Amino acid sequence: MAEWDLLLTDARIATMRLGARNYGTIEDGAIAIVGESLAWVGAAADIAGKSAQTTRSVAGRWITPALIDCHTHLVFGGDRSAEFEQRLQGASYEEIARAGGGILSTVRATRTASEDELFAAAHKRLQQLASDGVATVEIKSGYGLDFENELKMLRVARCLGDSSDLTVKTTLLAAHAIPPEHAQDPDAYVTMICEKLIPAVAEEGLADAVDAYCESFAFNAEQIGRVFDAARGFELAVKLHADQLTDGDGAALAAKYSALSADHLEYTSVAGVAAMAKSGTAAVLLPGAFLTLGETQPPPIDALRGHHVPMALATDCNPGTSPLCSLREAMALACRLFKLTPQECLAGATREAALALGLGADRGTLEAGKRADIAIWDIEHPRELSYWLGTRPLSDLLIAGRTVNLT
Ligand code: DI6
Ligand code: FE
């Protein structure tokens, strides 16, 4: 009777184990799978006498943990390519938002779209992420901005997860922007989120976490505190869009609520970074939004390194500031724009991204006992995953031990 279900041999493995040097590389390695989990990861020479029902050579290819996109707005109606053109002609993101464009134009398109239409559009984007090595995706709401349409978005995100091999974690981001109907009384909208929406979301099990946008023209610390207290009441994790355009002390606010992550962080202070280190809050860096907004101030990378704050990377796929459907391209951008090393980028799209979703014990590295989410690449060195632009080096993707059909 074979011990293992599947044995992958002739592999160069980047385990991405925490603390391991050089990507945690195993030159002539093998990976054994039982059911949905990694049963053994090591040097081929150490297999000795063990056998598997199926043995498959990957012919010297590199194997890494499958990628994890821990911050997306994948579900939305329409697109904002026209606005993108406007911005190229000098209009600022804030001017467009104040003129009723920006997020609110996507809100109009999302409110009028049916669940099927939203599903079809997002499913295409999900396939694109998978075709570049992603096996776990976080999807936020945030373009409904009222009771019915926020639930609609989360139901679509849950459906995407139920109908795909990929794992989809969902996040309620009703506190993304103030809806036009509450322009004069944003606090009433916050009350609706806390007293009606979060209980309904928890009741239906539609979200794994709650997020908010901490920015002068969005929500302030007092309003976000109310939303996070309500989330905590239902044992929902919290995350925060923090200090993207100004230092609003968002990082410290996220730390105060032991948030899973604080995301963007371009204007975060060293004190904010220190607070995140103390609360164990991961940083999620979003180079796609940085590039599309023409931002010039990178997040405080040296402070994050110095305080050993896990630095995750994500696409932030959204129609306004990051129309990016490849996590590998986000890695390539993070090297060039934030001066992260290729090893930090791969860790950011695997091990650290798992932490930002509260999945650190379950995936993100190639270690026995973890989920068998595996990416196999046609490359000569893992650094190439951040080096090449516009290529498609993925050879195979296994999710929970099963090969995914990417065509
Ligand atoms: N920050 C961003 O960059 C996106 N959301 C956020 O909180 C922008 C979303 C959009 O413009 O549609
Ligand atoms: Fe975002």
Side-chain angles (χ1 to χ4, degrees), residues 364-397:
T365 64
L366 296 176
E367 292 173 276
K370 292 207 173 172
R371 191 179 156 84
D373 286 2
I374 291 170
I376 306 174
W377 307 93
D378 285 324
I379 55 177
E380 285 312 313
H381 190 284
R383 65 179 166 252
E384 288 181 48
L385 296 174
S386 299
Y387 167 67
W388 293 107
L389 296 169
T391 59
R392 283 274 184 256
L394 185 74
S395 156
D396 275 297
L397 182 65

Side-chain angles (χ1 to χ4, degrees), residues 73 80 93 103 143 176 213 241 244 264 289 316 318-321:
H73 307 252
R80 303 241 293 281
Y93 182 82
I103 291 181
Y143 290 118
H176 190 198
Y213 190 18
H241 282 69
Q244 179 185 11
H264 285 289
D316 193 18
N318 78 76
T321 62

Side-chain angles (χ1 to χ4, degrees), residues 24 128 141 166 213 256 315 324 327 329 388 392:
Q128 280 161 348
S141 67
L166 282 77
Y213 190 18
K256 177 180 161 201
T315 63
L324 174 63
L327 184 50
E329 300 288 339
W388 293 107
R392 283 274 184 256

